[in-house]
Every structure is written in structure tokens, then in C-alpha cells.
Amino acid sequence: MNAVTRYFTNIRDAVATTLTGMKITLRYWVKEPAITVEYPDRLGAGKTADDIVSDRYRGFLKMEAGKCIGCMQCMRACPINCIRVTVEKAREARMLTRFGVNQAKCMHCGLCVEACPSEALVFTRRFEGASRDLRDLCFEHIAAPVPVARLRAGKGP
Amino acid sequence: MYSAANTVYGILHASLAAVGIPEAVITLVAYAIPCGVVIAIIGPIAGMLTYAERKISADIQNRVGPNRVGPFGLLQFPADGIKLLLKEDIIPDAADKKLFKLAPYLVFTSTVLASLVIPFGGSFIVADLNIGLIFIIVVSSLLVVGFLMSGWASNNKWALLGGIRSAAQIISYEIPTALSLLTVVLIAGTFSMQEIVMAQGPWPWQWFLFHNPFTFVAFFIFFVSSLAEMNRTPFDFPEAESELVSGYNVEYSGMRFALFFAAEFANIFITASLATAVFLGGGNIGMDPYASGLGYQLLMVLIFFTKAILLCLVTIWVRWTLPRLRIDQMLSLCWKYFIPIAFVCLVMTAVWMLAFGGNGFFWRMPTI
């Protein structure tokens, strides 16, 4: 390519590439909606903060008392010992007397949820944990002792 | 030549001279009133442009943009202005204090001066100088002095580099800007802004943009090189955030910074109005701007502002499309492409005028 041809090719390329770019930005300007989530106060109608995170989000832990078999695998799996489970035997029935999670210490690694054989311990999507007192983040999931659930063979929880 | 100051002077003189107010005071007031009105118009427009810039950039980048202050965030720019007013005014110890303080006013002055000869449609023009176009070109060069001054006086290496860059850039790009405006002067045969507008017509094919192929090219050369003169992306070398932090205004804070900022955005509007008046027919609706009624004159203003604001939006659109060039590309674009092409346009327009007796591509020159 000699110099003169290059000169005019340069001009053509400059105009063409500019127009291509302008076309793309025009499309974004006119058509594409904003994807911003205006988090604290303008989430949209009927939406709460929990709805803006994905389904597999690792938020606060939740324990369903009716499903827990009291195996304490979660307690053993926890690397930072933020789960406390106590099971007591009263006559024939084993009773779950305490299931405490210190959510302030929890690092949301998910080892306890993986360890749970009955899917009693799951993550929720709640993530708003700001608090003035650390004790607000220590959750007791059981108010009164409950009998542990029994896993039946062949049936899922 | 029409001048708003003269009109105001006439009114004031008739009513106040009898009371015994000295002539000098009346003259000063007569000149101060139109200037104040122009600043009062340019200021809010510059403010709205900052809002438009943020909103459009947000739209282009799939964001929301300012939407908290007032409906749709429309009051964002007064809020920002008040915030800047309340900020501490910091002057660096090592700065040259006098120059440092003077520079923002110089920059703002050149912007306001340029707006004095813009025909806003109808008889709304502060002074219809017979050298209006040259006046604008000269006065907008004053900007460089302010930039260099602020860059030098800040005693900061980023600011100095920004000031020097802006000098190199603005002085280079003055030439294609002026040359491309001259193509229109060749056709219209006058430097007066109002007469240039009156030489065109209301319909697109009667604009100087479509007079002949060379004015068409000249318009785009003018537009792009005035982008460079306004320090807008893709030619924002003087402020290049990623290289120079913020360029010549890096040491400024508070209201002095706001003046730089306002001047920058006012310049967008001034340049867009210049392009509108010279190439896009201004506020011409095919009537005499001085003799027609007030309703028609306001219609002219409306048309003028529509065109000018649309051009402003294009300027913003370009900014959020193109990244910054390299500095050698910027200079070669000017010296190797724009200046030769602008010269070709100028000469070929002259040849066109000779060959076709002043008639355009679509329209015939009115026989004067």
C-alpha cells in the first residue's frame, strides 16, 4: 500500500469505525435498560433485600427443627466453632435442647450445610447483618426442646 | 449593526438622563445588563448540560445516573453548585497566587465573551458585530491563556503538563476550525453572525451544511476540531484522568473549580450554537429577525435552541463512545488530515462559487 492510498484508507477507516462505535452506543443509550439495583430504598415494588441476591447465595443459616436428627455433624464440621448443638436423652426420646449459631463469627463456608444429612441446616438469602450489638447475631434456633426427627431408610428428608 | 446594548442604552437614556444620572453610569449599566442576561442564560444551560452528560453516560453504560435530588435528579446541578460554593477554597503554598486566582476568571470570561455575538434567533443577540465570526475565533483562543496560566500557577507537574498539552492542542485545532468556518464566509460574504443566519433558509437544503459537498465536509471538520478545542474526549489530553489526574485544574477546589467546570460545559453550548448558526441555519424561519413579531421571534429562539441542544447531545454522545487518542495521533489528525482537507474545502468552495455563480447544490443564491 503506498502512502497516498494509506492516507485515504485512514480517513475511510476513521469515519467507518467512529460510526460503528456511535451506532453501538446509540443502541445502549436508547434501548438497553439500566441494570443498576438501587439497593437500600428503591428495590422495586414488592421486593425485599433478600430478593436481589441469587438463589444459591450463602446468607444466614436457618435450621428447621422438624428435620434435624441431632447428629451434630454440623457442629463438628464448623471450622470456627460457631454452631452449638446439644442433644439430651429424656426417657426414650432424644431431645434437641439447643441449636445456636453465632452468625457474627460465621464465615459462610458452607461446610455445615454440606455435612447435614437431613437438609435441616440450610442457607437463607438474608445478608443484612449490620447490628449495634454482637449478641443480636447469636441466634438460638430452638426456643424449647424438641424431639429429633428420624431418618427413614429409602426416603429423603 | 444591531446591538442589544444600544437598544438598552436608548431606553435607559430616554428615561434616566432627565433625572440627572451621568452619561457614564447609563452607558455602563446599558452594557452590563445584556452581559448579565447572557451569563444568566449560559449558567443554567451549562448546569443542565452537566446533568445531561451524567444522565446520558449512565444510559449508555446501563446505569441509572443522578436520580435522587428532585424529580429524575433534575436538581442535581444546583446541589452540586451549592456544594462547591461551600467547599474550602484551597490555594497551594507553592502556587503563584495572583495567576492562580486570575486563571479561572479568564477562562470563564472567554466563554462569556464568545456568547455575546451568538444570534440566539430573532433579535436576541447581544451585539451583531460585523466581525462576529472572527471575534468568536479570537476570543475562544483566550481560553488557552487561562489554561496555561492555571497550569503554570498551580506549581504542580500534572497541572503544568495539562496546561502545556492544552496549549499545543487548542492552538493546533484553531486552524482547521477557522478554515472550515471561512468556507461559509466565502458563500455568505460577511462575518456578521446575524447576516450569516439570514443568508440561509428554514429548510435543511437551504442550510450552508448542504450548500455544496465541501461545506458538508467542512462542517464535520469544524465539529471534530471544536471537540478538540473544548478538550472533550476523544481529545481530552489536557485533563486525561488516567494520565494527568485532572490536568490543569487539579489544584483547584471550591468555586474556582466550578468556574472551570462551568466554562467547559458552557463552551459545549457555545460551540454547538456556533455550528448551528453558521452551518445549520440558526433560528431562521424565513422571516426578517428584526421586523417580525415577538411570537415569531420566540419561535426562532425555540428552533435555534432545539438545534443547538441536539448538537450538544451529539457532543456528549461522542464523548461516551470514543476513547482518548494517543497524543501523536491527535497532532497528526490535525496537521496531516484536518488542515489539508480544510484548505481543500476552502479552495474548492471558492472554485464552486466561481463556477456556479454562488448557487448551492440545492438552492440558488438570492440575487443581491
Side-chain angles (χ1 to χ4, degrees), chain A residues 7 10 25 34-35 38 41, chain B residues 62 67-68 317 321 336-337:
Chain A
Y7 185 84
N10 275 347
T25 41
I35 56 171
E38 293 181 71
D41 56 341
Chain B
N62 283 4
N67 66 346
R68 298 278 162 155
W317 174 21
T321 303
K336 280 160 78 179
Y337 293 90

Side-chain angles (χ1 to χ4, degrees), chain A residues 6-7 10-11 17-18 21-23 25-26 28-29 32-36 38 41-42, chain B residues 56 59-64 67-68 313-314 317-318 320-322 336-338 340-341:
Chain A
R6 195 158 62 237
Y7 185 84
N10 275 347
I11 296 177
T17 50
T18 307
M22 302 272 283
K23 213 162 65 190
T25 41
L26 183 68
Y28 273 83
W29 181 4
E32 303 272 331
I35 56 171
T36 311
E38 293 181 71
D41 56 341
R42 289 190 193 170
Chain B
I56 289 171
D59 279 347
I60 286 174
Q61 298 171 346
N62 283 4
R63 293 183 287 111
V64 177
N67 66 346
R68 298 278 162 155
L313 294 187
V314 173
W317 174 21
V318 169
W320 295 99
T321 303
L322 299 174
K336 280 160 78 179
Y337 293 90
F338 278 0
I341 295 172

Side-chain angles (χ1 to χ4, degrees), chain B residues 330-360:
Chain B
M330 180 270 281
L331 284 171
S332 74
L333 180 68
C334 177
W335 293 99
K336 280 160 78 179
Y337 293 90
F338 278 0
I339 292 182
I341 295 172
F343 264 119
V344 167
C345 286
L346 185 65
V347 172
M348 291 310 286
T349 310
V351 171
W352 181 287
M353 297 300 288
L354 269 182
F356 298 100
N359 296 324

Side-chain angles (χ1 to χ4, degrees), chain B residues 247-293:
Chain B
Y248 53 86
N249 58 18
V250 69
E251 292 285 3
Y252 284 84
S253 59
M255 211 51 212
R256 290 182 212 283
F257 173 75
L259 272 183
F260 273 120
F261 208 66
E264 193 184 319
F265 278 89
N267 248 330
I268 298 173
F269 179 71
I270 300 287
T271 311
S273 356
L274 184 59
T276 307
V278 172
F279 286 102
L280 303 182
N284 197 324
I285 54 168
M287 299 170 98
D288 184 6
Y290 295 119
S292 50

Side-chain angles (χ1 to χ4, degrees), chain B residues 8-10 12-14 16-18 21-32:
Chain B
V8 175
Y9 175 79
L12 288 180
H13 190 76
L16 294 180
I21 290 169
E23 194 77 358
V25 174
I26 298 179
T27 315
L28 268 181
V29 170
Y31 279 89

Side-chain angles (χ1 to χ4, degrees), chain B residues 75-364:
Chain B
L75 297 178
Q76 185 66 47
F77 77 89
D80 287 346
I82 292 167
K83 185 201 79 175
L84 284 172
L85 265 176
L86 297 177
K87 285 242 169 181
E88 185 188 357
D89 178 30
I90 301 167
I91 298 178
D93 274 345
D96 186 333
K97 299 214 170 39
K98 277 180 195 143
L99 286 185
F100 189 85
K101 285 177 184 166
L102 181 62
Y105 302 112
L106 210 64
V107 170
F108 195 71
T109 307
S110 85
T111 308
V112 173
L113 275 180
S115 66
L116 294 187
V117 290
I118 301 278
F120 291 107
S123 59
F124 296 98
I125 175 171
V126 176
D128 183 18
L129 303 181
N130 51 6
I131 51 155
L133 208 54
I134 293 182
F135 181 80
I136 287 192
I137 293 168
V138 169
V139 154
S140 56
S141 313
L142 263 182
L143 219 59
V144 188
V145 183
F147 289 163
L148 257 183
M149 208 183 255
S150 62
W152 175 258
S154 299
N155 206 351
N156 174 319
K157 52 183 174 294
W158 308 125
L160 181 60
L161 276 171
I164 289 171
R165 279 188 183 189
S166 79
Q169 175 179 324
I170 296 180
I171 290 173
S172 312
Y173 276 91
E174 290 273 289
I175 303 165
T177 314
L179 283 176
S180 48
L181 288 176
L182 281 183
T183 58
V184 166
V185 173
L186 271 183
I187 304 167
T190 172
F191 281 111
S192 150
M193 295 296 286
Q194 193 70 276
E195 279 174 28
I196 287 175
V197 171
M198 282 152 72
Q200 302 173 69
W203 304 110
W205 57 87
Q206 292 170 319
W207 298 346
F208 281 142
L209 174 62
F210 299 112
H211 182 272
N212 62 47
F214 306 107
T215 49
F216 187 75
V217 175
F219 169 73
F220 288 99
I221 289 179
F222 169 76
F223 191 72
V224 176
S225 41
S226 49
L227 282 184
E229 276 202 62
M230 301 184 277
N231 304 327
R232 300 280 295 176
T233 320
F235 304 100
D236 62 341
F237 301 96
E239 17 187 290
E241 287 100 346
S242 47
E243 300 160 26
L244 297 182
V245 192
S246 171
Y248 53 86
N249 58 18
V250 69
E251 292 285 3
Y252 284 84
S253 59
M255 211 51 212
R256 290 182 212 283
F257 173 75
L259 272 183
F260 273 120
F261 208 66
E264 193 184 319
F265 278 89
N267 248 330
I268 298 173
F269 179 71
I270 300 287
T271 311
S273 356
L274 184 59
T276 307
V278 172
F279 286 102
L280 303 182
N284 197 324
I285 54 168
M287 299 170 98
D288 184 6
Y290 295 119
S292 50
L294 187 66
Y296 289 116
Q297 293 204 7
L298 289 179
L299 182 64
M300 292 178 200
V301 173
L302 186 69
I303 287 173
F304 180 88
F305 271 82
T306 313
K307 289 174 184 170
I309 297 288
L310 279 178
L311 268 185
C312 291
L313 294 187
V314 173
T315 312
I316 294 170
W317 174 21
V318 169
R319 164 159 186 191
W320 295 99
T321 303
L322 299 174
R324 182 162 57 244
L325 299 175
R326 264 192 343 248
I327 198 150
D328 63 312
Q329 290 171 332
M330 180 270 281
L331 284 171
S332 74
L333 180 68
C334 177
W335 293 99
K336 280 160 78 179
Y337 293 90
F338 278 0
I339 292 182
I341 295 172
F343 264 119
V344 167
C345 286
L346 185 65
V347 172
M348 291 310 286
T349 310
V351 171
W352 181 287
M353 297 300 288
L354 269 182
F356 298 100
N359 296 324
F361 209 67
F362 297 110
W363 54 287
R364 307 188 73 76

